[in-house]
């Protein structure tokens, strides 16, 4: 897990050399609840998109999204994944009580439509505190709403808090469930793919498709891990897979491809890349969390998910894309990228022990 500049960290705090490890994961996607459901969906290389039944879509650019059945409640889904991650990490009640919560969460559209007086009493930070209490956590340290980098920014802050000795353990969660307000917004902006297929880095790509995503991870100081992987010590060739932001919009994929080529240099031609949004949809504020879960599955299973929906090469997206079927490789280091409106970008490096 990458952090801030390691030399600056060491100067500020002698504990800054601490390695950060992910010890617990809980995740929900359109493929179902739990990491096994997500793993099976990625391995099958079949996109989870289908007709959207949560609301009428006849007025919009498409009627397709990747969603769970029925009408799941976001707060309930967040509680479930936080408990799942804490249980996987083996946290005792006392350890939970010392762990703060960082939350990347999509705002409730119903609150935004209410009177200003109601909005003033319904701060989104209150939803984080309301999640921390029943989960037995220390409290809500911060809530992120910065669009597609909300979750990955929260993970980055958690890693910095641990690396610099401010905390031994932090729980990070994020969630978005497809709702009509944002569906209408992206449709009006002509960002949704009208052909109902998300084609990242592909010729003929026409836009993004939304998807449900909810997840949580437990980050801890790695007292039991001997050798720390220092971000500054990794060469581009060390990166064995890139889970790209890859929204399928013409501008995003071209600029992300150029940025990857600049950052990785010659190594980019032999670095496998895919955007799993083509399978599970774009989960907005939860994108970084859902795609971090995908990166962890890659490290555990050694199977790179496909870049689905591909319809041909584009000179602006010259990457080693994973196409056709999952590629069996066992990368030691995986790079997860996200970008958001306004120029905010995040890059998380996760490594096998």
């Amino acid at each position: 897990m990458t952090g801030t500049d390691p030399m600056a960290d060491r100067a500020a705090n002698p504990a800054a050399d601490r390695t950060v490890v992910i010890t617990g994961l809980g995740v929900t996607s359109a493929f179902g609840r739990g990491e096994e459901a997500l793993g099976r969906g990625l391995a099958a290389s079949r996109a989870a998109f289908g007709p959207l039944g949560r609301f009428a879509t006849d007025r919009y650019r498409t009627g397709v999204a990747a969603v769970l059945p029925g009408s799941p409640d976001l707060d309930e889904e967040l509680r479930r994944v936080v408990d799942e991650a804490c249980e996987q990490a083996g946290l005792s009640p006392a350890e939970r009580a010392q762990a703060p919560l960082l939350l990347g969460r999509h705002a409730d559209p119903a609150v935004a439509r209410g009177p200003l007086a109601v909005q003033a009493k319904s701060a989104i930070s209150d939803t984080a505190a309301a999640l921390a209490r029943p989960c037995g956590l220390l409290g809500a340290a911060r809530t992120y709403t910065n669009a597609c980098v909300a979750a990955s920014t929260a993970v980055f802050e958690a890693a910095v808090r641990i690396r610099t000795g401010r905390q031994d353990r932090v729980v990070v969660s994020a969630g978005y469930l497809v709702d009509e307000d944002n569906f209408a917004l992206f449709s009006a902006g002509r960002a949704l793919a009208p052909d109902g297929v998300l084609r990242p880095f592909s010729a003929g790509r026409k836009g993004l498709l939304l998807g449900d995503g909810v997840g949580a991870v437990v980050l801890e100081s790695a007292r039991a891990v001997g050798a720390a992987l220092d971000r500054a010590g990794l060469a581009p060739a060390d990166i064995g897979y890139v889970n790209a932001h890859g929204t399928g919009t013409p501008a995003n994929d071209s600029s992300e491809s150029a940025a990857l080529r600049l950052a990785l240099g010659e190594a980019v031609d032999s670095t496998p890349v895919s955007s799993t949004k083509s399978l599970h949809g774009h989960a907005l504020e939860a994108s970084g969390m859902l795609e971090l879960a995908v990166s962890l599955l890659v490290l555990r299973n050694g199977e790179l998910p496909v870049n689905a929906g591909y319809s041909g090469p584009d000179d602006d997206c010259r990457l080693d894309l994973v196409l056709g079927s999952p590629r069996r490789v066992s990368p030691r280091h995986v790079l997860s990228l996200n970008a958001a409106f306004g120029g905010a970008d995040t890059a998380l490096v996760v490594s096998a022990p």
Side-chain angles (χ1 to χ4, degrees), residues 52 55-57 59-62 106-107 109 112-113 145 147-148 176 178-193 208-210 249 282 284-285 341:
L52 184 54
F55 46 84
T57 58
R59 296 179 293 166
Y60 303 130
R61 190 170 168 85
T62 183
H106 191 72
R113 288 195 296 270
T145 60
C148 310
Y176 168 72
V178 175
D179 64 288
E180 185 169 8
D181 291 62
N182 275 278
F183 202 87
L185 180 67
F186 279 91
S187 180
R190 304 183 68 78
L192 296 180
L208 60 86
L209 294 172
L210 297 175
T249 55
H282 192 333
L284 301 184
E285 280 84 353
F341 298 127

Side-chain angles (χ1 to χ4, degrees), residues 201-205 254 310 312-319:
F201 306 110
S202 167
R205 59 191 182 279
S254 302
Y310 191 73
D314 186 314
D315 286 342
D316 291 335
C317 304
R318 291 180 293 114
L319 299 169

